[in-house]
Amino acid sequence: MSTDSGIDRSRLRALAERERATFADRHPRSRAAYARADHLFGRVPMTWMNKTAAGFPVYLASARGNRITDVDGNEFVDFCLGDTGAMAGHSPEPVVAAVTERVRDGLATMMPTEDAAVAGAELARRFGLPAWSFALTATDANRWAIRLLRAVTGRSKILVNSYCYHGSVDESLIVVGPDGHGRSREGNVGAPVDVTATSRVAEFNDLAMLERELAHGDVAAVLMEPALTNIGIVLPEDGYLAGVRELTRRYGTYLINDETHTFSAGPGGATAAWNLQPDVVTIGKAIGGGVPVGAYGLSAELAEALTGRGDLDLVDMGGVGGTLAGNPVSMAATRATLQEVLTEAAFATMIETASAFADGISKIIEGYGLPWSVSRLGARVEYRFANPAPRNGTESAASADAELEDFLHVYLANRGVLLTPFHNMALMCPQTSAADVARHHEIFERALSELV
Ligand SMILES: Cc1ncc(COP(=O)(O)O)c(C=O)c1O
């Protein structure tokens, strides 16, 4: 990993130690709660909650809009927003009302509710694909979409971009190695088989590499984000996405746009904002307003092809399905989020706020002469310790600087601002105000003034 972020390392380490000590002082109840959690694997309900810059996580007391209060009474302006799960703001009123009403009237009945069809119609309107199905996570939406496309094509492989993230999907844990070919991603836990047996990989923004891999004729689907978001934001270059569509069509490969994070680009995600024509869209997180949900939408041609396949068990134990998927609470939450919270008007505000965020932070970085860059995807902003901005996942991974990132995260948290614990992402929700952006910038500027 690069340590060439324009920063004096010994000063950074001294400041980071000071900030971690302040953090420990400000969070005695969180620290004690963590110390007590002897019967949780890794002391947390899910192991990724150990991704914290300060040695232990902050424990939630309450969250509303873009404000979080922790168990020690500290209040935060939240730009993490549940890593997109709370892009609609925390506990939005229409979602709380819809869920509260639904919770009283049956939770796990194995029966559809009318909310699901309304949510499906709204997703169809926004993303341009007519046939929707629901999961509980975006990971599962991806897993099931992949299975369906393998079934339809009779091909065995899935192609993803290097350093993508599509949830804990086995096929996606592949990167381009130094020899230019696929290899298992570092840290891949318990892979069922060598990932090169199930997957192919290409660099984002590299049509030649994509064509080289598709030409094998064994790729059922390209699963991709229209912009990479999980290794920092990596935006598509001019002509790249059109080229992907053209090549996938030429080689008989289906195209899945995973819009779980790129939904920040607008009400219909990057698909609508950039006029893309995928065969399948997968999504999750934000569309449930914080309630677990995932979804995939199929083209009419695919839906028809799948329905006509009597040999595929789509109803019982064929590998696509979950007992609580499509449950009444997730469906009520999704309907309310789409119809009443993450509306066209809300996106317009969020994107305007994000533009101000990006402009302000670019000026501060320039002012300090740092070799960093800022990228924006609609309502989502990210800075990377590289300039020009990385063009693909491998370059973006190489520009990471965990020490510097951790310092900035703790510095901000100690002054009441949260970024996502993963890289330097700031997301705007409908309640994020110009004053919140100014507050972030003032603290960020102070951090740099101490550091540089
Ligand atoms: C693009 C993308 N797809 C899928 C997922 C998985 O979502 P979930 O954790 O809800 O399964 C994520 C999670 O960050 C994501 O960023």
Side-chain angles (χ1 to χ4, degrees):
M1 270 197 274
S2 162
T3 50
D4 186 23
S5 314
I7 294 300
D8 175 336
R9 307 314 289 187
S10 55
R11 184 193 292 244
L12 171 61
R13 277 177 207 137
L15 286 170
E17 203 177 304
R18 183 194 78 191
E19 290 302 317
R20 273 196 296 274
T22 305
F23 185 91
D25 286 347
R26 285 170 56 86
H27 298 279
R29 287 188 67 174
S30 283
R31 193 157 31 116
Y34 188 61
R36 273 197 307 271
D38 289 335
H39 294 286
L40 294 177
F41 176 45
R43 302 196 167 274
V44 280
M46 176 65 236
T47 47
W48 60 253
M49 290 182 187
N50 275 320
K51 176 77 176 114
T52 158
F56 61 90
V58 172
Y59 279 62
L60 170 70
S62 64
R64 272 289 141 73
N66 73 331
R67 291 292 194 278
I68 291 184
T69 305
D70 71 13
V71 292
D72 287 292
N74 300 300
E75 197 192 73
F76 299 93
V77 175
D78 185 18
F79 288 99
C80 165
L81 295 171
D83 195 37
T84 298
M87 192 163 95
H90 295 290
S91 296
E93 279 305 329
V95 176
V96 171
V99 166
T100 306
E101 194 182 323
R102 196 61 255 179
V103 158
R104 293 203 194 92
D105 291 331
L107 296 171
T109 59
M110 297 194 90
M111 292 176 190
T113 54
E114 290 177 343
D115 287 334
V118 178
E122 181 60 14
L123 289 167
R125 183 182 75 78
R126 292 184 183 215
F127 291 94
L129 291 167
W132 287 81
S133 192
F134 291 96
L136 286 174
T137 64
T139 298
D140 271 345
N142 282 326
R143 285 190 183 129
W144 300 342
I146 284 172
R147 276 183 171 265
L148 295 173
L149 296 180
R150 282 208 175 102
V152 164
T153 58
R155 294 181 175 187
S156 62
K157 289 196 167 130
I158 302 302
L159 186 144
V160 296
N161 288 127
S162 198
Y163 289 97
C164 65
Y165 185 69
H166 296 286
S168 47
V169 174
D170 292 329
E171 291 84 347
S172 66
L173 295 169
I174 185 168
V175 292
V176 175
D179 64 355
H181 292 276
R183 64 170 166 83
S184 180
R185 186 163 179 161
E186 50 278 19
N188 186 353
V189 180
V193 291
D194 182 339
V195 71
T196 57
T198 60
S199 309
R200 294 191 176 278
V201 62
E203 291 289 5
F204 195 79
N205 278 326
D206 189 337
L207 291 172
M209 193 181 288
L210 176 65
E211 178 158 24
R212 182 190 78 191
E213 296 298 314
L214 292 182
H216 291 276
D218 55 3
V219 177
V222 169
L223 168 62
M224 70 181 288
E225 292 186 286
L228 295 181
T229 65
N230 285 288
I231 192 81
I233 295 172
V234 180
L235 294 168
E237 291 175 348
D238 280 352
Y240 171 64
L241 295 175
V244 170
R245 183 65 280 196
E246 198 274 310
L247 286 174
T248 46
R249 287 209 173 107
R250 191 186 316 159
Y251 289 98
T253 297
Y254 285 103
L255 178 60
I256 308 171
N257 275 1
D258 181 344
E259 289 271 18
T260 305
H261 280 181
T262 50
F263 187 32
S264 65
T271 296
W274 301 338
N275 195 21
L276 308 176
Q277 262 116 37
D279 304 294
V280 178
V281 162
T282 55
I283 192 165
K285 302 213 235 187
I287 58 167
V291 175
V293 70
Y296 58 89
L298 304 171
S299 67
E301 174 237 323
L302 268 172
E304 199 181 321
L306 284 159
T307 316
R309 285 279 298 270
D311 61 320
L312 301 179
D313 180 359
L314 290 172
V315 172
D316 198 356
M317 302 205 190
V320 174
T323 310
L324 293 179
N327 71 77
V329 173
S330 296
M331 295 299 90
T334 304
R335 175 184 183 160
T337 304
L338 293 174
Q339 286 194 323
E340 298 176 62
V341 190
L342 288 178
T343 57
E344 263 87 356
F347 269 99
T349 306
M350 288 151 62
I351 290 171
E352 199 183 314
T353 312
S355 300
F357 191 105
D359 290 349
I361 206 164
S362 299
K363 284 199 189 97
I364 296 170
I365 290 169
E366 267 166 45
Y368 281 90
L370 289 165
W372 303 358
S373 52
V374 178
S375 303
R376 182 175 67 81
L377 180 66
R380 181 186 185 98
V381 182
E382 178 112 26
Y383 52 91
R384 302 298 287 163
F385 307 125
N387 195 357
R391 292 183 58 240
N392 62 42
T394 300
E395 280 180 23
S396 198
S399 77
D401 183 336
E403 226 175 7
L404 178 54
E405 216 165 78
D406 284 358
F407 163 70
L408 289 168
H409 288 192
V410 181
Y411 195 98
L412 287 161
N414 283 342
R415 291 154 186 83
V417 171
L418 291 180
L419 292 190
T420 181
F422 304 95
H423 40 99
N424 307 309
M425 188 277 283
L427 184 65
M428 315 298 135
C429 71
Q431 291 87 354
T432 311
S433 68
D436 296 329
V437 170
R439 182 156 161 201
H440 168 274
H441 288 7
E442 188 205 317
I443 299 166
F444 180 75
E445 213 271 329
R446 229 191 300 163
L448 295 192
S449 73
E450 291 210 58
L451 194 58
V452 182

